[in-house]
Amino acid sequence: MTDFEKYKENIMDYASKNLQKKGGSRIKPKYICPFCGSGSGPHKTAAFTIYPTSFNCFSCGKSGDLFDLVGEVEHLDKAAAIHRVKELYGDGTDMDEQKTIQAKPKAQIQSQNDYKETYAAFYQWATENALKGKYWQGRGFSIEDIKKYKLGEIPKDSIKALADKKTLAKLRITYINYHPSNYGVIPYGPTSFTLRDLDQKAYIKQQKSDTGIFHSENLYTDGPYCLVVEGEVDTLTIETAADLPCVGLGCKGNGQKLLDQLALKPTKKALFLLPDNDRLANGEPDKEKMQAMTNLCDDLKAKGINAVILNNTNWKYKDPNEYYQEKPDSFVEAMTKLCDQA
C-alpha cells in the first residue's frame, strides 16, 4: 500500500471532526454534504456517505477521497490539500516534499485573497439587506448589533442574480438556488457562516475550516464564568441584552467541539450550561436535548472543568431569545438570577 493510500484511511476521522453528521450507521455514517448541502434545511435526508477510504454523495453525485474532501472543506487546490493532509496525518518523514508543496505560487495566493474578498463583499451586502429588513430587528437586535456582528439577509428574489454572478458557487451555497427562500446569515468567521431559512425556520450549517464553537473567544475574557447555549441567536441575545459572556454550540451534537477547544486551550472560567426548554409535538420536554447537555456537563467535569447546568425549567419560554422578545425588561434580571444561583 502506498503512502497516499494510507492517508486516505483517515477520511472518517476528518469527516467526524469537520462535517455535521446526519444519520447513517457507525460503519457508513452520513453527513450534510459540503458540496450541495444534502441533509440540511429543506434537504431532510443526508445523501453524503463516508466509506473507509472515500466519499460519495447520492444527491449531487460528487465523489472522491480524503484529499478531495479536504480541498473542498478548506478551500485548497490539489497540492495544498495534499500538504494539509500530511500536516494532519503524516509522521514528519516527508518534510522535504511538504516544503516544496508549501511554497504556494503567486496565482494561488491571489486566488485565496480573492476568495476572502468575496466573503467580505457578501457579508457587507447581506448586512445592508438586514438593515433594510425586519427579521433581525424583530428578534430584538438593534441596528448597532446588526452592524457589529455582520448579521445579514439573503432575499429570496436575489438568489437567481447571485447564481448568475457565480457568487453562490464561490460561497459553496449553490444548493439554495434550487430551494429559493429568504435566508438569514450569521457569520462564524471571515469565511464561514450559518444560514437560517426564514420561511422553513430551519438552519443550514456551513461547515468550513474555521467553523468551531460560536464566539469561543468569550471562554477567555475576564470574569468568573461563561455561559454555554445551543444556538447562535441565543448567544448573541445574552451578549447584547444581558452583557454576559456566552458561547454557542451550534447544535446539540457539538459538545465534542467544545471539549476539543478546551483541550487545545483550557479556560479558567466556570461554565454555566443553559439548555433550551424545547418540547416535543406531544408537549413533553425534549429529553434527548437535555441529556446531551447533561452528558456534556459530565464530560467537562471529568476533565477538571467547573461546569454547572442552570435550572431554567420554570421559564415559560423555550430559549433566551424568545424570553427577551416577550419580556425584555425582566430578561436581564432572570439571567442574572440564574447565574447567581449557580
Side-chain angles (χ1 to χ4, degrees), residues 5 69 140 165 195 212 245 247 282 304 325:
E5 292 301 317
L69 183 60
K165 293 177 182 178
L195 289 182
V247 298
N282 60 6
Q325 288 184 69

Side-chain angles (χ1 to χ4, degrees), residues 5-259:
E5 292 301 317
K6 290 181 180 178
Y7 283 125
K8 293 177 183 179
E9 294 178 348
N10 296 292
I11 190 168
M12 285 193 173
D13 178 74
Y14 183 82
S16 68
K17 295 176 179 177
N18 293 276
L19 301 179
Q20 186 174 345
K21 191 174 181 181
K22 192 72 178 291
S25 64
R26 183 180 64 82
I27 298 175
K28 291 183 181 179
K30 292 185 178 182
Y31 296 87
I32 291 178
C33 179
F35 296 90
C36 71
S38 171
S40 63
H43 311 259
K44 297 300 182 184
T45 303
F48 189 82
T49 303
I50 298 291
Y51 300 97
T53 60
S54 63
F55 69 83
N56 182 65
C57 180
F58 294 96
S59 180
C60 65
K62 291 285 187 180
S63 62
D65 55 27
L66 175 61
F67 300 101
D68 300 310
L69 183 60
V70 170
E72 171 63 20
V73 172
E74 304 195 25
H75 308 291
L76 303 173
D77 65 12
K78 191 68 174 182
I82 292 172
H83 170 68
R84 177 61 172 155
V85 169
K86 290 182 176 180
E87 184 179 62
L88 290 171
Y89 300 108
D91 58 9
T93 59
D94 48 6
M95 289 304 296
D96 289 339
E97 181 183 354
Q98 288 191 33
K99 288 178 182 177
T100 61
I101 294 174
Q102 194 171 13
K104 300 176 182 178
K106 291 183 179 179
Q108 184 181 337
I109 294 173
Q110 182 61 45
S111 175
Q112 291 179 344
N113 289 336
D114 291 345
Y115 167 75
K116 291 179 180 179
E117 290 174 2
T118 297
Y119 271 80
F122 167 70
Y123 285 156
Q124 182 177 350
W125 172 83
T127 298
E128 290 173 355
N129 290 330
L131 293 172
K132 293 182 289 187
K134 298 179 180 179
Y135 177 73
W136 289 112
Q137 292 185 58
R139 296 296 296 267
F141 296 104
S142 67
I143 290 176
E144 290 73 21
D145 295 333
I146 294 171
K147 291 179 179 179
K148 178 181 179 180
Y149 296 108
K150 296 183 174 63
L151 301 176
E153 291 183 36
I154 304 176
K156 183 177 181 178
D157 57 11
S158 69
I159 292 177
K160 185 178 184 305
L162 291 175
D164 292 342
K165 293 177 182 178
K166 309 299 183 184
T167 302
L168 296 184
K170 292 178 181 178
L171 297 171
R172 307 298 204 274
I173 53 172
T174 53
Y175 47 87
I176 73 171
N177 190 35
Y178 304 99
H179 297 274
S181 185
N182 294 295
Y183 291 94
V185 180
I186 306 175
Y188 260 70
T191 58
S192 62
F193 56 87
T194 291
L195 289 182
R196 178 175 174 83
D197 186 329
L198 304 184
D199 299 332
Q200 297 290 330
K201 295 184 178 180
Y203 282 103
I204 299 174
K205 304 292 182 181
Q206 285 297 97
Q207 297 298 324
K208 301 304 181 187
S209 58
D210 58 350
T211 301
I213 296 299
F214 188 61
H215 285 199
S216 61
E217 65 273 12
N218 286 330
L219 292 167
Y220 312 106
T221 56
D222 294 334
Y225 62 82
C226 179
L227 286 109
V228 179
V229 297
E230 181 181 330
E232 296 91 350
V233 173
D234 291 327
T235 302
L236 295 174
T237 300
I238 292 171
E239 284 187 27
T240 57
D243 195 25
L244 296 173
C246 186
V247 298
L249 298 176
C251 69
K252 66 181 180 182
N254 275 355
Q256 187 59 49
K257 282 191 174 184
L258 177 60
L259 294 169

Side-chain angles (χ1 to χ4, degrees), residues 206-323:
Q206 285 297 97
Q207 297 298 324
K208 301 304 181 187
S209 58
D210 58 350
T211 301
I213 296 299
F214 188 61
H215 285 199
S216 61
E217 65 273 12
N218 286 330
L219 292 167
Y220 312 106
T221 56
D222 294 334
Y225 62 82
C226 179
L227 286 109
V228 179
V229 297
E230 181 181 330
E232 296 91 350
V233 173
D234 291 327
T235 302
L236 295 174
T237 300
I238 292 171
E239 284 187 27
T240 57
D243 195 25
L244 296 173
C246 186
V247 298
L249 298 176
C251 69
K252 66 181 180 182
N254 275 355
Q256 187 59 49
K257 282 191 174 184
L258 177 60
L259 294 169
D260 292 343
Q261 167 78 29
L262 294 171
L264 289 172
K265 186 178 180 181
T267 180
K268 296 179 180 179
K269 291 187 172 188
L271 299 184
F272 294 167
L273 281 61
L274 182 61
D276 285 353
N277 274 330
D278 287 343
R279 294 188 175 274
L280 303 175
N282 60 6
E284 292 295 316
D286 189 336
K287 295 181 180 179
E288 184 180 346
K289 276 195 173 184
M290 187 61 200
Q291 188 61 50
M293 274 292 195
T294 300
N295 293 342
L296 175 58
C297 188
D298 291 341
D299 290 339
L300 290 167
K301 289 179 178 178
K303 294 184 179 297
I305 298 171
N306 183 9
V308 179
I309 294 182
L310 299 182
N311 182 14
N312 63 335
T313 54
N314 61 336
W315 282 13
K316 298 179 180 178
Y317 311 100
K318 70 180 184 68
D319 56 42
N321 184 256
E322 183 178 278
Y323 192 153

